[in-house]
Amino acid sequence: MNLRQANLGMINSYPGGWDGMAAVLGLSRDALENRVYERKGQSVSVHQELQMQEFSGTTLFAEAIANRSGGVFTKLIEPGTVDREDLHSKFQELWAKVGDLSRAYTAYTDDNYIDSREKADLQRISNEIQRAMQELMALMFQIYCTPEEQSTPREVRKV
C-alpha cells in the first residue's frame, strides 16, 4: 500500500467520506482532493495524515510508512485482553497464510517466470505472514511472560 492508497482508505473509512474528512481537517473538499492527488503543487502533510488516521480509526498511514520502509506494521496488543484461544487462533491463521504462499508460489512458478502482478501478490502474502508472526509472538509473550519480561527491550548485540 502506498501513501495515496492509505489516504484514500482513511477518507473512505471516515463517516461522510471526502466531505466529512475535509470538514474535520478544516479544509474544503477541493482542498483535500488537491492535496491527496498532489494537484497545483499541494500535498498532504504528515500531520494531516496522522490526523486522518486517528479520525478514521485505522492504521493505514502507519501501514503505508512501514511498507515504504521495507517492513510491516503490527499493532501492539493491549495487556490483559488475550488468552490461549487467541494464541491458538493466531497459529492457525499463520499456518493458513503459509499455505496461501505455497499455493501461490506453485501456481506462479508453473511457467518458470514470476511477473509483476504475481510478485506483488507474493509480497502481499509475505507481509501478511510477517505481521501474523509478530502478532503471534506478542500474544505468546503476553500470555506466558511476566509483565517485567514483556516490557524488556530487545538485547542489543555489539559488533
Side-chain angles (χ1 to χ4, degrees):
M1 164 185 326
N2 63 37
L3 286 171
R4 179 172 295 154
Q5 291 168 329
N7 289 333
L8 293 171
M10 290 184 293
I11 291 165
N12 290 326
S13 295
Y14 188 75
W18 283 94
D19 294 324
M21 185 63 78
V24 296
L25 290 172
L27 301 170
S28 68
R29 180 181 175 138
D30 287 342
L32 180 57
E33 286 182 2
N34 287 340
R35 285 167 174 76
V36 169
Y37 292 110
E38 298 179 345
R39 298 180 193 139
K40 303 178 184 178
Q42 298 181 49
S43 63
V44 182
S45 72
V46 170
H47 177 71
Q48 289 169 323
E49 287 168 321
L50 286 169
Q51 285 183 309
M52 288 195 302
Q53 179 173 263
E54 186 176 334
F55 295 148
S56 66
T58 69
T59 57
L60 295 173
F61 178 64
E63 291 174 35
I65 293 298
N67 183 280
R68 187 172 181 169
S69 302
V72 295
F73 174 77
T74 303
K75 190 170 183 173
L76 297 176
I77 298 164
E78 289 188 40
T81 61
V82 296
D83 58 24
R84 290 185 175 125
E85 276 188 41
D86 296 319
L87 182 60
H88 177 74
S89 294
K90 190 55 67 176
F91 266 113
Q92 296 304 314
E93 179 185 332
L94 180 60
W95 279 116
K97 290 181 186 308
V98 171
D100 292 343
L101 181 64
S102 178
R103 282 185 291 282
Y105 165 79
T106 300
Y108 296 160
T109 59
D110 190 42
D111 61 357
N112 291 317
Y113 177 74
I114 295 175
D115 65 30
S116 60
R117 182 193 57 79
E118 294 166 338
K119 180 181 175 186
D121 194 39
L122 290 167
Q123 188 62 59
R124 178 191 57 77
I125 297 168
S126 172
N127 289 346
E128 290 174 358
I129 289 170
Q130 291 176 49
R131 184 177 295 111
M133 177 60 90
Q134 290 304 310
E135 290 170 352
L136 175 105
M137 297 305 291
L139 285 168
M140 190 182 310
F141 295 152
Q142 185 173 350
I143 293 169
Y144 292 106
C145 291
T146 65
E148 296 79 26
E149 291 169 324
Q150 290 175 27
S151 61
T152 303
R154 291 185 183 164
E155 185 177 320
V156 177
R157 294 190 323 161
K158 297 189 180 191
V159 180

